[in-house]
Amino acid sequence: MKKTSTRLADGRELIYYDLRDDTVRDAVDRRPLERTVTTSEVRRDPLLGDSVAIASHRQGRTYHPPADECPLCPSQGERLSEIPDSSYDAVVFENRFPSLAGDSGRCEVVCFTSDHNASFADLTEEQVRLVLDAWTDRTSELSHLPSVEQVFCFENRGAEIGVTLGHPHGQIYAYPFTTPRTALMLRSLAAHKEATAGQNLFDSVLESELAGERVVLEGEHWVAFVPYAAHWPYEVHLYPKRRVPDLLGLDEEARTEFPKVYLELLRRFDRIFGESEPPTPYIAAWHQAPFGQLEDFEGVSRDDFALHLELFTIRRTSGKLKFLAGSESGMNVFINDISPEAAAQRLREVASS
């Protein structure tokens, strides 16, 4: 992998990740852009104890542009985009309309390929490995920013999810706090450790799932399963078998196997509802240990946390979505219409080719 860092016309950082070491990236952003002005602010809810990002400047962000005006495609002639070069393998840049900025963190866009009509599942194993290396590199770099406590790499896929740009891409949020989901896991981790004389909760969950009926696919270094208490109709958790706290902790064997396993999983997701259905909308979310202090979680260290990816769709059956209505949105109590065992069985049945 070759990494080349440059700046866009408004001062935002852009980084090319290339498969070839001899690739030259010297294209200049020719757009007449003024420096980005953001109004991002993090406010803490005194009743719930969580944080909310107020980012009113995002109302003016790009919304469903036609394909020939896509800002994530490479620049061609006088059609100038967020990527100055005429081609790329993978690229990361600071979001022009960030939810978090400055002392409130940072938001980046990750473009997986220059092919506008592709999806992540269309990538080659070599391309997926490059994206994995880019996620890892950005996790490392962002963790050193003084305002950053947790790094979250994710992909939103599909209009049903709310995606406003059709080009295959994901995002990275660098939060100035430990997110509520992660805090819940850490509290459960601490309680389990105390109640079991030091046993690790993630290890116990993984051991139980490996012995059960909800495993979807398994490699030498990775395992994917539908969790016992799945929140979503089709939800899969992908774990490395050797517990590590973040992407940086993966060894070479796990990195080498990941592309094959993840592509298989994504391709099965696209076949859940049959060939005649549109591509399955999904969210793919990496859960990593926070980089900040964990004094609020007594007895727990970063190394106790287990890196994992959660992949889920909001489609519950053909032509029908799972809406977060009264119980889910009002009380945060999920009601799942499909048993995790049935979901796992369906995901085992579907072929990826």
Side-chain angles (χ1 to χ4, degrees):
M1 179 189 78
K2 181 181 180 182
K3 175 183 174 182
T4 306
S5 180
T6 185
R7 293 281 172 180
L8 296 173
D10 55 7
R12 289 175 294 130
E13 185 178 18
L14 180 143
I15 306 159
Y16 293 98
Y17 293 90
D18 286 295
L19 294 168
R20 292 173 54 94
D21 290 337
D22 59 353
T23 304
V24 176
R25 298 296 184 188
D26 55 7
V28 176
D29 185 4
R30 294 181 285 127
R31 297 173 297 170
L33 298 180
E34 297 182 357
R35 284 199 169 269
T36 302
V37 177
T38 64
T39 57
S40 178
E41 175 189 359
V42 173
R43 298 183 182 181
R44 189 165 180 80
D45 186 317
L47 295 179
L48 298 179
D50 58 8
S51 298
V52 178
I54 309 297
S56 57
H57 62 279
R58 285 172 53 78
Q59 286 281 34
R61 66 187 184 274
T62 308
Y63 187 79
H64 292 299
D68 60 354
E69 296 179 16
C70 174
L72 306 185
C73 288
S75 294
Q76 298 290 339
E78 294 306 309
R79 193 191 69 76
L80 307 178
S81 72
E82 289 280 67
I83 296 91
D85 216 323
S86 58
S87 66
Y88 63 84
D89 292 332
V91 69
V92 176
F93 60 89
E94 288 184 77
N95 198 320
R96 192 176 179 187
F97 304 97
S99 301
L100 306 164
D103 293 339
S104 298
R106 175 160 158 150
C107 292
E108 299 181 340
V109 176
V110 184
C111 296
F112 305 136
T113 172
S114 60
D115 184 353
H116 180 85
N117 296 313
S119 70
F120 201 114
D122 295 323
L123 302 183
T124 65
E125 291 185 20
E126 185 181 35
Q127 288 175 300
V128 174
R129 173 59 190 264
L130 182 65
V131 173
L132 175 63
D133 290 342
W135 282 331
T136 305
D137 180 69
R138 296 315 301 153
T139 296
S140 176
E141 294 291 329
L142 292 170
S143 72
H144 290 96
L145 296 180
S147 64
V148 172
E149 190 165 314
Q150 185 173 355
V151 179
F152 175 45
C153 307
F154 65 99
E155 180 193 2
N156 296 330
R157 194 266 195 118
E160 299 96 326
I161 298 293
V163 175
T164 58
L165 296 175
H167 195 103
H169 72 287
Q171 300 181 64
I172 302 175
Y173 277 22
Y175 296 101
F177 50 80
T178 297
T179 60
R181 282 286 299 278
T182 303
L184 285 172
M185 292 184 208
L186 290 169
R187 282 195 282 273
S188 296
L189 187 62
H192 184 83
K193 193 172 186 179
E194 181 179 5
T196 59
Q199 292 184 28
N200 184 279
L201 177 58
F202 286 108
D203 292 350
S204 298
V205 167
L206 191 56
E207 181 181 0
S208 174
E209 293 292 358
L210 279 167
E213 59 181 315
R214 290 180 296 275
V215 172
V216 174
L217 59 91
E218 182 179 356
E220 184 178 355
H221 303 283
W222 294 86
V223 60
F225 58 87
V226 178
Y228 170 74
H231 290 58
W232 298 92
Y234 289 94
E235 174 182 341
V236 176
H237 293 189
L238 178 62
Y239 276 70
K241 291 184 178 179
R242 183 179 70 87
R243 173 165 47 88
V244 295
D246 51 41
L247 290 164
L248 295 149
L250 293 173
D251 59 24
E252 182 57 30
E253 289 79 9
R255 292 181 183 280
T256 299
E257 186 181 74
F258 173 77
K260 181 179 180 179
V261 173
Y262 190 46
L263 286 173
E264 171 71 13
L265 190 57
L266 290 180
R267 290 164 184 169
R268 290 191 188 195
F269 248 62
D270 269 347
R271 295 176 180 270
I272 295 173
F273 305 105
E275 296 284 355
S276 61
E277 288 292 313
T280 303
Y282 66 72
I283 293 174
W286 281 108
H287 290 262
Q288 306 191 80
F291 288 94
Q293 298 297 315
L294 300 181
E295 62 269 11
D296 292 339
F297 312 99
E298 188 174 352
V300 171
S301 70
R302 288 193 80 249
D303 289 337
D304 291 321
F305 195 86
L307 167 76
H308 61 284
L309 182 141
E310 296 184 8
L311 174 69
F312 61 89
T313 180
I314 62 170
R315 186 181 292 164
R316 58 186 175 87
T317 189
S318 297
K320 297 179 181 179
L321 302 181
K322 166 65 178 177
F323 293 103
L324 300 190
S327 186
E328 292 88 354
S329 295
M331 284 291 141
N332 200 28
V333 177
F334 275 68
I335 300 169
N336 194 345
D337 302 309
I338 299 175
S339 77
E341 292 74 23
Q345 177 62 31
R346 176 59 181 158
L347 284 162
R348 286 193 297 267
E349 289 173 350
V350 293
S352 64
S353 60

